[in-house]
Amino acid sequence: MRIALLTEGTLTNAQRGEGGWCGRLVGGLPEHEFRLYRLLPAGRPAPPSGVRGLHGVHELPMWGRRPGGRGPTALRRRAYTKAYEELVRALVTPGERAGFGPALYRLAALGREDEALPAFLASGHAHRALERVWRMPGADTAGGQPLVCDVLVAADLLEQCLRPLSAPWYGTGPAGLGGADLCHVVGGGPAALPALVARELHGVPFVVTEHGLHLREQYRGYRSAPYRWPVRALLLSFFRQLTEETYRQAAVLTPGSEYDRQWQQRCGGEAARTRIVHEGTAATERPAAGAEPGAPTLVWAGALEPGRDPELMLHAFARVRAELPAARLKVYGEEGAPGYLAHCTAIAGRLGVADAVEFAGRPRSSAAAWESGSVVVFSALAQRSPRLLADAMLSGRAVVSTEVGVAREVLGPTGLLVPPRSPRALAAACLALLTDHERRSRLGLAGRLRAQERFAVEPVVGAFREIYLDLVSRYPAFPARPGAPARPFARPAEYWVSGGSTPPPAPAGQAPRTPGPALAEAL
Amino acid sequence: MTGTPADPVRELLDSNRDLCEQAVDPLEIAAALEDSGLAVDGAARYRHADVFGLAEELYARVPRRPPTREPLPPAEPLRTLPLAALRTAAAHLLPLLPAATLGGLPGGALAVLLGAGAGAAVERRSGGEEARGGAADQDDWGPEQREPAPARGGVPWAALGQGAGTGLLLALLAAAAPGAARAAALGAATAGWAAAWLRRFGRRQGGAATLGEYRSRLRFALPLAVLAQLAALAGLGWAVAGDTPATGWAALLVLGTLPLLAAAVRDAGRPTAAAVAVLTAAAAAALLTLPAPAHWLGASPSGALSAAALGPALLLAGTAWPPSTGPGAYR
């Protein structure tokens, strides 16, 4: 099968190593031909993708200075303006949300014809269209009317977000998305735009895998972004419409956790098309942590920032220390908010536990961090990603966590869950484990087994092997002509055995069998 | 005895009033509530099945009230104006130096080279708004180190060309009327000042309500800047080179205004047009000062110079004015 992996290349590789999630997927499914399509920040050298075994890598610079190019001719500009106005209307008028998808595809179609879309979106004509629709009566401007500076900033941001529409990827050749059997969007957001266009244009189905929802991150990130209210409203509306359209059109959604699934369902992902696939990690191969340290030690891990609430840990530790004077606390992680480390140190001093608390910074490896303690504690106010939690469970140490986000589904019965913001409950849970060696080791082992079962790489690869096969059996190999119904199972199973670039010799008396896209063109 | 209050959401609403008033979408409230530690059982305390239902109630119960007096995007501070003036003056005085001291062909060649170098050195790069994503740049242990964006590479051909043209024009003027050349190079300071003021003024008008209003505010900004530059040049000319003939005055006024117009065109996003205009003026002026055409025309060298530069200057003015009234020229 020819599979196009679409991803926004910024959330890369550094900590995940060897191509990260995509690398493990491609490595686990050598029978398929993968091509990687990446959206990258412009003006910066592209980091290597690190994924081995790819049949091609295609990159598109996004975010940053607009590449040169001419705008549309005066005649075609009207069509552009109309499509753009419809897009903006779908963003700002609550009653016209349904127009988002068609306007998007119309813009993409126009841009494919004369490649003038980026220049148009940056032009004064687009600014005027945006302002006209945005200030129309009926538009949702509850937070105040947009000013000229808002129009300019929003137009700039929209232009950057829509850049994938004018990517040179939509051909039916071997390098184009039209030549792929399915698209796999990793990460959502603008990376889904090419998949949406390919689906509209060539009927290529797509899978969406998200670890940490793009839309939720936008809501969180834009709260501190330096944009005025109208810009924030317009852009978040754009991301929401884009996400809803993506979930509506996706053949299969594979969120990384039940917690993410609820968000996806809220944004229009049907339960029937959703399948939770946990994020596999290579750490399942790691041996369990060795002997516990001599003194009873708590390990806290994560970036030092208010959202992870190390303060709660310090307060709870003060109570633990009152009961168990030998107890120690190791805090791993760098400060995520400026000055927060000093703040935490001051709190530890005020609580009188400064001599027993060690702020150890970023650990050599996560395994070393877990090994240095007897119990691992997470006191965050929100746990959006299961990664760190699963990694701690794999060490075989008992885990205590606040019951937020993914904690309950990841830990299950193998760890202690306490309500957030409650030092008393956290201290009680820590004490219960620190004073009971048997219970600690039993929970630790159970947690390790549970994490090994759920977060291994093999089930992920297996799940996607099934999903891919299931998808191509339901979708025809080539787009049905308008009017003709799509015929599932129109191709025998052998058709999908990719034989490299040369098609198998045709039997006598039969038309030579060509690969799907070429056939589609012939039709 | 204290039971549950009749309206438990009310307390939550009061403690999160700012968030609810400024939210653009119920999902934004949901994300913020989850960030503050509210999970499913927390939502149950407020009689909702999940956080989304609670967020929708909050969104519906609080009227939208965006932050009052949100700051406009900042314009450049005032102190950049004298800096810009100094830079432009330096870029013009530098090529004038060899042209005035050495003279002749070597002086002219050196002036062209120095002009090109100075033009490329003071070239100012501007970029549009860069989108910022969510919190993707953080791994589990702390902020991920990001390499800073490297300076954009490539040879600034337009700046080089414009600088070279300026150098040649100044060298020619220095040969024809030394006093006027000095005045023109000094006048470049006010041209730089005026261009920076125009840029700043344009940025500060981002608070206009509509694009139409913006245009009406900016309509006479460039003509005013040009008039001010002409007045400044006249003053300088009178102070530095009072005994210059009329053709020298004309050359001074045209060449002194050229940097301002070129800067306006460059800001409008057409640096190549600015460079081509300046180079055309320089080439035409050089052609007209060759012995044969000069003898044939019978004009004085400075007159030929002003005649050669007038056309490109007018063209530049025509190119600069329409875009200078739009916001696109001030990004």
Side-chain angles (χ1 to χ4, degrees), chain A residues 65 131 148-149 156 160 219-220 229 232 240 259 266 334 384, chain B residues 22 25 34-35 56 66 70 126 129 141 206 208 210-211:
Chain A
R65 185 167 271 248
E131 186 196 47
V148 168
C149 52
D156 256 7
Q160 294 176 34
Y219 280 125
R220 296 181 58 239
W229 199 93
R232 216 155 54 89
R240 176 148 193 199
Y259 168 66
R266 194 71 195 177
E334 292 171 350
R384 286 174 294 276
Chain B
Q22 295 171 18
D25 192 314
E34 285 188 345
D35 273 358
E56 275 186 359
E70 270 185 305
S126 66
E129 189 69 41
W141 300 96
T210 62
L211 289 166

PDB file of all heavy atoms in Angstrom, chain A residues 65 131 148-149 156 160 219-220 229 232 240 259 266 334 384, chain B residues 22 25 34-35 56 66 70 126 129 141 206 208 210-211:
ATOM      1  N   ARG A  65       7.919  34.011   6.620  1.00  0.00           N
ATOM      2  CA  ARG A  65       7.825  34.876   5.455  1.00  0.00           C
ATOM      3  C   ARG A  65       7.178  34.139   4.282  1.00  0.00           C
ATOM      4  O   ARG A  65       7.458  32.988   4.022  1.00  0.00           O
ATOM      5  CB  ARG A  65       9.236  35.308   5.089  1.00  0.00           C
ATOM      6  CG  ARG A  65       9.341  36.280   4.000  1.00  0.00           C
ATOM      7  CD  ARG A  65      10.743  36.826   4.008  1.00  0.00           C
ATOM      8  NE  ARG A  65      10.806  37.971   4.877  1.00  0.00           N
ATOM      9  CZ  ARG A  65      11.002  39.202   4.404  1.00  0.00           C
ATOM     10  NH1 ARG A  65      11.167  39.393   3.128  1.00  0.00           N
ATOM     11  NH2 ARG A  65      11.036  40.225   5.214  1.00  0.00           N
ATOM     12  N   GLU A 131     -12.117  42.312   5.940  1.00  0.00           N
ATOM     13  CA  GLU A 131     -12.715  43.373   6.742  1.00  0.00           C
ATOM     14  C   GLU A 131     -14.206  43.500   6.469  1.00  0.00           C
ATOM     15  O   GLU A 131     -15.011  43.637   7.388  1.00  0.00           O
ATOM     16  CB  GLU A 131     -12.020  44.691   6.425  1.00  0.00           C
ATOM     17  CG  GLU A 131     -12.494  45.795   7.320  1.00  0.00           C
ATOM     18  CD  GLU A 131     -12.132  47.157   6.797  1.00  0.00           C
ATOM     19  OE1 GLU A 131     -12.346  47.430   5.604  1.00  0.00           O
ATOM     20  OE2 GLU A 131     -11.622  47.956   7.564  1.00  0.00           O
ATOM     21  N   VAL A 148      -8.058  47.951  12.041  1.00  0.00           N
ATOM     22  CA  VAL A 148      -7.211  47.670  10.886  1.00  0.00           C
ATOM     23  C   VAL A 148      -6.064  46.739  11.265  1.00  0.00           C
ATOM     24  O   VAL A 148      -5.742  45.784  10.545  1.00  0.00           O
ATOM     25  CB  VAL A 148      -6.665  48.981  10.304  1.00  0.00           C
ATOM     26  CG1 VAL A 148      -5.563  48.701   9.308  1.00  0.00           C
ATOM     27  CG2 VAL A 148      -7.786  49.735   9.628  1.00  0.00           C
ATOM     28  N   CYS A 149      -5.472  46.981  12.447  1.00  0.00           N
ATOM     29  CA  CYS A 149      -4.336  46.130  12.818  1.00  0.00           C
ATOM     30  C   CYS A 149      -4.788  44.683  13.007  1.00  0.00           C
ATOM     31  O   CYS A 149      -4.051  43.749  12.677  1.00  0.00           O
ATOM     32  CB  CYS A 149      -3.671  46.665  14.081  1.00  0.00           C
ATOM     33  SG  CYS A 149      -4.786  46.954  15.433  1.00  0.00           S
ATOM     34  N   ASP A 156      -2.648  37.790   7.907  1.00  0.00           N
ATOM     35  CA  ASP A 156      -1.324  37.167   7.877  1.00  0.00           C
ATOM     36  C   ASP A 156      -1.381  35.741   8.417  1.00  0.00           C
ATOM     37  O   ASP A 156      -0.833  34.807   7.833  1.00  0.00           O
ATOM     38  CB  ASP A 156      -0.357  37.969   8.757  1.00  0.00           C
ATOM     39  CG  ASP A 156       0.578  38.813   7.933  1.00  0.00           C
ATOM     40  OD1 ASP A 156       0.362  38.861   6.714  1.00  0.00           O
ATOM     41  OD2 ASP A 156       1.507  39.405   8.500  1.00  0.00           O
ATOM     42  N   GLN A 160      -0.842  32.054   6.505  1.00  0.00           N
ATOM     43  CA  GLN A 160       0.133  31.025   6.875  1.00  0.00           C
ATOM     44  C   GLN A 160      -0.541  29.689   7.135  1.00  0.00           C
ATOM     45  O   GLN A 160      -0.032  28.638   6.752  1.00  0.00           O
ATOM     46  CB  GLN A 160       0.918  31.468   8.106  1.00  0.00           C
ATOM     47  CG  GLN A 160       1.784  32.665   7.810  1.00  0.00           C
ATOM     48  CD  GLN A 160       2.493  33.185   9.045  1.00  0.00           C
ATOM     49  OE1 GLN A 160       2.862  32.438   9.921  1.00  0.00           O
ATOM     50  NE2 GLN A 160       2.704  34.482   9.090  1.00  0.00           N
ATOM     51  N   TYR A 219      -6.250  26.386  22.019  1.00  0.00           N
ATOM     52  CA  TYR A 219      -7.013  27.105  23.044  1.00  0.00           C
ATOM     53  C   TYR A 219      -6.116  27.503  24.206  1.00  0.00           C
ATOM     54  O   TYR A 219      -6.222  28.585  24.754  1.00  0.00           O
ATOM     55  CB  TYR A 219      -8.169  26.243  23.557  1.00  0.00           C
ATOM     56  CG  TYR A 219      -9.367  26.245  22.651  1.00  0.00           C
ATOM     57  CD1 TYR A 219      -9.898  25.070  22.161  1.00  0.00           C
ATOM     58  CD2 TYR A 219      -9.966  27.440  22.276  1.00  0.00           C
ATOM     59  CE1 TYR A 219     -10.999  25.067  21.326  1.00  0.00           C
ATOM     60  CE2 TYR A 219     -11.056  27.447  21.437  1.00  0.00           C
ATOM     61  CZ  TYR A 219     -11.573  26.258  20.967  1.00  0.00           C
ATOM     62  OH  TYR A 219     -12.636  26.277  20.146  1.00  0.00           O
ATOM     63  N   ARG A 220      -5.220  26.614  24.571  1.00  0.00           N
ATOM     64  CA  ARG A 220      -4.338  26.926  25.697  1.00  0.00           C
ATOM     65  C   ARG A 220      -3.296  27.964  25.301  1.00  0.00           C
ATOM     66  O   ARG A 220      -2.992  28.881  26.048  1.00  0.00           O
ATOM     67  CB  ARG A 220      -3.643  25.655  26.181  1.00  0.00           C
ATOM     68  CG  ARG A 220      -4.612  24.629  26.734  1.00  0.00           C
ATOM     69  CD  ARG A 220      -3.893  23.401  27.226  1.00  0.00           C
ATOM     70  NE  ARG A 220      -2.942  23.741  28.239  1.00  0.00           N
ATOM     71  CZ  ARG A 220      -1.657  23.495  28.165  1.00  0.00           C
ATOM     72  NH1 ARG A 220      -1.165  22.872  27.120  1.00  0.00           N
ATOM     73  NH2 ARG A 220      -0.849  23.868  29.116  1.00  0.00           N
ATOM     74  N   TRP A 229      -8.378  40.550  21.070  1.00  0.00           N
ATOM     75  CA  TRP A 229      -9.507  39.632  21.163  1.00  0.00           C
ATOM     76  C   TRP A 229     -10.069  39.229  19.807  1.00  0.00           C
ATOM     77  O   TRP A 229     -10.271  38.033  19.554  1.00  0.00           O
ATOM     78  CB  TRP A 229     -10.609  40.261  22.028  1.00  0.00           C
ATOM     79  CG  TRP A 229     -11.583  39.257  22.544  1.00  0.00           C
ATOM     80  CD1 TRP A 229     -11.516  38.612  23.731  1.00  0.00           C
ATOM     81  CD2 TRP A 229     -12.752  38.782  21.896  1.00  0.00           C
ATOM     82  NE1 TRP A 229     -12.570  37.758  23.861  1.00  0.00           N
ATOM     83  CE2 TRP A 229     -13.350  37.842  22.754  1.00  0.00           C
ATOM     84  CE3 TRP A 229     -13.360  39.042  20.681  1.00  0.00           C
ATOM     85  CZ2 TRP A 229     -14.518  37.171  22.435  1.00  0.00           C
ATOM     86  CZ3 TRP A 229     -14.520  38.372  20.346  1.00  0.00           C
ATOM     87  CH2 TRP A 229     -15.102  37.441  21.229  1.00  0.00           C
ATOM     88  N   ARG A 232      -7.913  36.630  18.123  1.00  0.00           N
ATOM     89  CA  ARG A 232      -7.989  35.368  18.834  1.00  0.00           C
ATOM     90  C   ARG A 232      -9.287  34.640  18.468  1.00  0.00           C
ATOM     91  O   ARG A 232      -9.289  33.449  18.187  1.00  0.00           O
ATOM     92  CB  ARG A 232      -7.962  35.665  20.330  1.00  0.00           C
ATOM     93  CG  ARG A 232      -7.245  34.694  21.182  1.00  0.00           C
ATOM     94  CD  ARG A 232      -6.769  35.390  22.454  1.00  0.00           C
ATOM     95  NE  ARG A 232      -7.838  36.066  23.164  1.00  0.00           N
ATOM     96  CZ  ARG A 232      -8.609  35.489  24.090  1.00  0.00           C
ATOM     97  NH1 ARG A 232      -8.418  34.241  24.411  1.00  0.00           N
ATOM     98  NH2 ARG A 232      -9.549  36.169  24.695  1.00  0.00           N
ATOM     99  N   ARG A 240     -11.112  25.627  15.116  1.00  0.00           N
ATOM    100  CA  ARG A 240     -12.206  24.743  15.491  1.00  0.00           C
ATOM    101  C   ARG A 240     -12.921  24.213  14.253  1.00  0.00           C
ATOM    102  O   ARG A 240     -13.226  23.031  14.152  1.00  0.00           O
ATOM    103  CB  ARG A 240     -13.182  25.502  16.386  1.00  0.00           C
ATOM    104  CG  ARG A 240     -14.357  24.646  16.715  1.00  0.00           C
ATOM    105  CD  ARG A 240     -14.954  24.904  18.050  1.00  0.00           C
ATOM    106  NE  ARG A 240     -15.873  23.797  18.329  1.00  0.00           N
ATOM    107  CZ  ARG A 240     -16.825  23.849  19.213  1.00  0.00           C
ATOM    108  NH1 ARG A 240     -16.987  24.899  19.934  1.00  0.00           N
ATOM    109  NH2 ARG A 240     -17.609  22.820  19.389  1.00  0.00           N
ATOM    110  N   TYR A 259      -9.283  10.172  27.291  1.00  0.00           N
ATOM    111  CA  TYR A 259      -9.444  11.594  27.593  1.00  0.00           C
ATOM    112  C   TYR A 259      -9.470  12.417  26.299  1.00  0.00           C
ATOM    113  O   TYR A 259     -10.336  13.280  26.101  1.00  0.00           O
ATOM    114  CB  TYR A 259      -8.286  11.990  28.500  1.00  0.00           C
ATOM    115  CG  TYR A 259      -8.058  13.449  28.725  1.00  0.00           C
ATOM    116  CD1 TYR A 259      -8.990  14.208  29.411  1.00  0.00           C
ATOM    117  CD2 TYR A 259      -6.889  14.053  28.293  1.00  0.00           C
ATOM    118  CE1 TYR A 259      -8.755  15.540  29.647  1.00  0.00           C
ATOM    119  CE2 TYR A 259      -6.652  15.376  28.527  1.00  0.00           C
ATOM    120  CZ  TYR A 259      -7.591  16.123  29.200  1.00  0.00           C
ATOM    121  OH  TYR A 259      -7.351  17.445  29.437  1.00  0.00           O
ATOM    122  N   ARG A 266     -16.464  15.541  21.238  1.00  0.00           N
ATOM    123  CA  ARG A 266     -17.075  16.850  21.424  1.00  0.00           C
ATOM    124  C   ARG A 266     -16.964  17.680  20.149  1.00  0.00           C
ATOM    125  O   ARG A 266     -17.804  18.511  19.854  1.00  0.00           O
ATOM    126  CB  ARG A 266     -16.346  17.567  22.567  1.00  0.00           C
ATOM    127  CG  ARG A 266     -17.061  18.772  23.076  1.00  0.00           C
ATOM    128  CD  ARG A 266     -18.284  18.349  23.843  1.00  0.00           C
ATOM    129  NE  ARG A 266     -19.165  19.467  24.036  1.00  0.00           N
ATOM    130  CZ  ARG A 266     -20.340  19.375  24.633  1.00  0.00           C
ATOM    131  NH1 ARG A 266     -20.756  18.199  25.079  1.00  0.00           N
ATOM    132  NH2 ARG A 266     -21.098  20.432  24.771  1.00  0.00           N
ATOM    133  N   GLU A 334      13.326  20.835  34.596  1.00  0.00           N
ATOM    134  CA  GLU A 334      13.810  22.211  34.514  1.00  0.00           C
ATOM    135  C   GLU A 334      12.643  23.163  34.665  1.00  0.00           C
ATOM    136  O   GLU A 334      11.490  22.763  34.512  1.00  0.00           O
ATOM    137  CB  GLU A 334      14.485  22.428  33.156  1.00  0.00           C
ATOM    138  CG  GLU A 334      15.761  21.639  33.048  1.00  0.00           C
ATOM    139  CD  GLU A 334      16.309  21.671  31.652  1.00  0.00           C
ATOM    140  OE1 GLU A 334      15.592  22.139  30.743  1.00  0.00           O
ATOM    141  OE2 GLU A 334      17.442  21.216  31.484  1.00  0.00           O
ATOM    142  N   ARG A 384      -2.271  15.822  30.410  1.00  0.00           N
ATOM    143  CA  ARG A 384      -2.821  15.665  29.073  1.00  0.00           C
ATOM    144  C   ARG A 384      -2.173  14.515  28.320  1.00  0.00           C
ATOM    145  O   ARG A 384      -2.765  13.949  27.435  1.00  0.00           O
ATOM    146  CB  ARG A 384      -2.665  16.967  28.289  1.00  0.00           C
ATOM    147  CG  ARG A 384      -3.617  18.032  28.730  1.00  0.00           C
ATOM    148  CD  ARG A 384      -3.328  19.328  28.029  1.00  0.00           C
ATOM    149  NE  ARG A 384      -2.043  19.846  28.432  1.00  0.00           N
ATOM    150  CZ  ARG A 384      -1.838  20.568  29.533  1.00  0.00           C
ATOM    151  NH1 ARG A 384      -2.860  20.880  30.288  1.00  0.00           N
ATOM    152  NH2 ARG A 384      -0.643  20.996  29.853  1.00  0.00           N
TER     153      ARG A 384
ATOM    154  N   GLN B  22     -13.815  36.635  28.718  1.00  0.00           N
ATOM    155  CA  GLN B  22     -12.935  36.806  27.561  1.00  0.00           C
ATOM    156  C   GLN B  22     -12.846  35.582  26.684  1.00  0.00           C
ATOM    157  O   GLN B  22     -12.140  35.604  25.681  1.00  0.00           O
ATOM    158  CB  GLN B  22     -11.538  37.187  28.048  1.00  0.00           C
ATOM    159  CG  GLN B  22     -11.542  38.533  28.727  1.00  0.00           C
ATOM    160  CD  GLN B  22     -10.243  38.828  29.402  1.00  0.00           C
ATOM    161  OE1 GLN B  22      -9.239  38.204  29.110  1.00  0.00           O
ATOM    162  NE2 GLN B  22     -10.257  39.778  30.307  1.00  0.00           N
ATOM    163  N   ASP B  25     -15.076  30.834  23.073  1.00  0.00           N
ATOM    164  CA  ASP B  25     -15.704  29.574  22.711  1.00  0.00           C
ATOM    165  C   ASP B  25     -15.844  28.771  24.001  1.00  0.00           C
ATOM    166  O   ASP B  25     -14.985  28.853  24.873  1.00  0.00           O
ATOM    167  CB  ASP B  25     -14.746  28.861  21.742  1.00  0.00           C
ATOM    168  CG  ASP B  25     -15.380  27.684  21.050  1.00  0.00           C
ATOM    169  OD1 ASP B  25     -16.036  26.907  21.752  1.00  0.00           O
ATOM    170  OD2 ASP B  25     -15.221  27.550  19.831  1.00  0.00           O
ATOM    171  N   GLU B  34      -9.918  22.448  32.761  1.00  0.00           N
ATOM    172  CA  GLU B  34      -9.109  21.237  32.931  1.00  0.00           C
ATOM    173  C   GLU B  34      -7.700  21.587  33.374  1.00  0.00           C
ATOM    174  O   GLU B  34      -7.109  20.870  34.173  1.00  0.00           O
ATOM    175  CB  GLU B  34      -9.071  20.461  31.619  1.00  0.00           C
ATOM    176  CG  GLU B  34     -10.377  19.748  31.358  1.00  0.00           C
ATOM    177  CD  GLU B  34     -10.289  18.823  30.179  1.00  0.00           C
ATOM    178  OE1 GLU B  34      -9.329  18.947  29.395  1.00  0.00           O
ATOM    179  OE2 GLU B  34     -11.190  17.982  30.028  1.00  0.00           O
ATOM    180  N   ASP B  35      -7.181  22.692  32.855  1.00  0.00           N
ATOM    181  CA  ASP B  35      -5.849  23.112  33.281  1.00  0.00           C
ATOM    182  C   ASP B  35      -5.819  23.462  34.752  1.00  0.00           C
ATOM    183  O   ASP B  35      -4.784  23.376  35.402  1.00  0.00           O
ATOM    184  CB  ASP B  35      -5.404  24.336  32.467  1.00  0.00           C
ATOM    185  CG  ASP B  35      -4.736  23.908  31.192  1.00  0.00           C
ATOM    186  OD1 ASP B  35      -4.607  22.694  30.998  1.00  0.00           O
ATOM    187  OD2 ASP B  35      -4.364  24.767  30.389  1.00  0.00           O
ATOM    188  N   GLU B  56     -20.078  25.008  28.933  1.00  0.00           N
ATOM    189  CA  GLU B  56     -21.136  25.653  28.149  1.00  0.00           C
ATOM    190  C   GLU B  56     -22.057  26.464  29.034  1.00  0.00           C
ATOM    191  O   GLU B  56     -22.500  27.547  28.658  1.00  0.00           O
ATOM    192  CB  GLU B  56     -21.909  24.602  27.352  1.00  0.00           C
ATOM    193  CG  GLU B  56     -21.192  24.341  26.059  1.00  0.00           C
ATOM    194  CD  GLU B  56     -21.933  23.432  25.126  1.00  0.00           C
ATOM    195  OE1 GLU B  56     -23.028  22.974  25.477  1.00  0.00           O
ATOM    196  OE2 GLU B  56     -21.374  23.192  24.048  1.00  0.00           O
ATOM    197  N   PRO B  66     -14.845  41.661  26.413  1.00  0.00           N
ATOM    198  CA  PRO B  66     -13.410  41.514  26.129  1.00  0.00           C
ATOM    199  C   PRO B  66     -12.611  42.471  26.974  1.00  0.00           C
ATOM    200  O   PRO B  66     -13.150  43.429  27.534  1.00  0.00           O
ATOM    201  CB  PRO B  66     -13.312  41.874  24.659  1.00  0.00           C
ATOM    202  CG  PRO B  66     -14.457  42.793  24.445  1.00  0.00           C
ATOM    203  CD  PRO B  66     -15.547  42.332  25.336  1.00  0.00           C
ATOM    204  N   GLU B  70      -7.383  47.046  25.074  1.00  0.00           N
ATOM    205  CA  GLU B  70      -6.296  46.153  24.683  1.00  0.00           C
ATOM    206  C   GLU B  70      -5.245  46.968  23.965  1.00  0.00           C
ATOM    207  O   GLU B  70      -5.570  47.841  23.154  1.00  0.00           O
ATOM    208  CB  GLU B  70      -6.831  45.075  23.736  1.00  0.00           C
ATOM    209  CG  GLU B  70      -7.315  43.856  24.454  1.00  0.00           C
ATOM    210  CD  GLU B  70      -7.722  42.784  23.472  1.00  0.00           C
ATOM    211  OE1 GLU B  70      -8.559  43.068  22.612  1.00  0.00           O
ATOM    212  OE2 GLU B  70      -7.195  41.697  23.561  1.00  0.00           O
ATOM    213  N   SER B 126      12.318  43.577   7.078  1.00  0.00           N
ATOM    214  CA  SER B 126      11.108  43.529   7.893  1.00  0.00           C
ATOM    215  C   SER B 126      10.369  42.252   7.564  1.00  0.00           C
ATOM    216  O   SER B 126      10.515  41.696   6.490  1.00  0.00           O
ATOM    217  CB  SER B 126      10.219  44.725   7.606  1.00  0.00           C
ATOM    218  OG  SER B 126       9.741  44.637   6.288  1.00  0.00           O
ATOM    219  N   GLU B 129       3.717  39.229  10.409  1.00  0.00           N
ATOM    220  CA  GLU B 129       3.349  38.588  11.665  1.00  0.00           C
ATOM    221  C   GLU B 129       3.664  37.109  11.574  1.00  0.00           C
ATOM    222  O   GLU B 129       3.308  36.452  10.607  1.00  0.00           O
ATOM    223  CB  GLU B 129       1.855  38.789  11.890  1.00  0.00           C
ATOM    224  CG  GLU B 129       1.378  38.361  13.231  1.00  0.00           C
ATOM    225  CD  GLU B 129       1.893  39.253  14.327  1.00  0.00           C
ATOM    226  OE1 GLU B 129       1.911  40.487  14.126  1.00  0.00           O
ATOM    227  OE2 GLU B 129       2.286  38.718  15.364  1.00  0.00           O
ATOM    228  N   TRP B 141      10.089  17.282  30.511  1.00  0.00           N
ATOM    229  CA  TRP B 141      10.997  17.651  31.599  1.00  0.00           C
ATOM    230  C   TRP B 141      11.241  19.140  31.695  1.00  0.00           C
ATOM    231  O   TRP B 141      11.861  19.601  32.635  1.00  0.00           O
ATOM    232  CB  TRP B 141      12.334  16.954  31.431  1.00  0.00           C
ATOM    233  CG  TRP B 141      12.214  15.483  31.446  1.00  0.00           C
ATOM    234  CD1 TRP B 141      12.126  14.679  30.349  1.00  0.00           C
ATOM    235  CD2 TRP B 141      12.116  14.629  32.571  1.00  0.00           C
ATOM    236  NE1 TRP B 141      11.990  13.384  30.739  1.00  0.00           N
ATOM    237  CE2 TRP B 141      11.991  13.318  32.099  1.00  0.00           C
ATOM    238  CE3 TRP B 141      12.142  14.860  33.943  1.00  0.00           C
ATOM    239  CZ2 TRP B 141      11.872  12.236  32.949  1.00  0.00           C
ATOM    240  CZ3 TRP B 141      12.025  13.770  34.779  1.00  0.00           C
ATOM    241  CH2 TRP B 141      11.898  12.480  34.288  1.00  0.00           C
ATOM    242  N   GLY B 206      -2.668  51.833  12.985  1.00  0.00           N
ATOM    243  CA  GLY B 206      -3.336  50.526  12.978  1.00  0.00           C
ATOM    244  C   GLY B 206      -4.606  50.512  13.802  1.00  0.00           C
ATOM    245  O   GLY B 206      -5.438  49.637  13.655  1.00  0.00           O
ATOM    246  N   ALA B 208      -6.998  52.475  13.426  1.00  0.00           N
ATOM    247  CA  ALA B 208      -8.130  52.974  12.646  1.00  0.00           C
ATOM    248  C   ALA B 208      -9.189  51.888  12.560  1.00  0.00           C
ATOM    249  O   ALA B 208      -8.887  50.699  12.583  1.00  0.00           O
ATOM    250  CB  ALA B 208      -7.662  53.375  11.257  1.00  0.00           C
ATOM    251  N   THR B 210     -11.486  51.221  10.057  1.00  0.00           N
ATOM    252  CA  THR B 210     -11.625  50.516   8.784  1.00  0.00           C
ATOM    253  C   THR B 210     -10.455  50.858   7.881  1.00  0.00           C
ATOM    254  O   THR B 210      -9.734  51.829   8.109  1.00  0.00           O
ATOM    255  CB  THR B 210     -12.917  50.917   8.062  1.00  0.00           C
ATOM    256  OG1 THR B 210     -12.835  52.314   7.783  1.00  0.00           O
ATOM    257  CG2 THR B 210     -14.133  50.633   8.907  1.00  0.00           C
ATOM    258  N   LEU B 211     -10.329  50.066   6.841  1.00  0.00           N
ATOM    259  CA  LEU B 211      -9.262  50.320   5.885  1.00  0.00           C
ATOM    260  C   LEU B 211      -9.479  51.664   5.188  1.00  0.00           C
ATOM    261  O   LEU B 211      -8.527  52.377   4.876  1.00  0.00           O
ATOM    262  CB  LEU B 211      -9.206  49.196   4.865  1.00  0.00           C
ATOM    263  CG  LEU B 211      -8.687  47.868   5.424  1.00  0.00           C
ATOM    264  CD1 LEU B 211      -8.968  46.736   4.467  1.00  0.00           C
ATOM    265  CD2 LEU B 211      -7.204  47.960   5.684  1.00  0.00           C
TER     266      LEU B 211
END
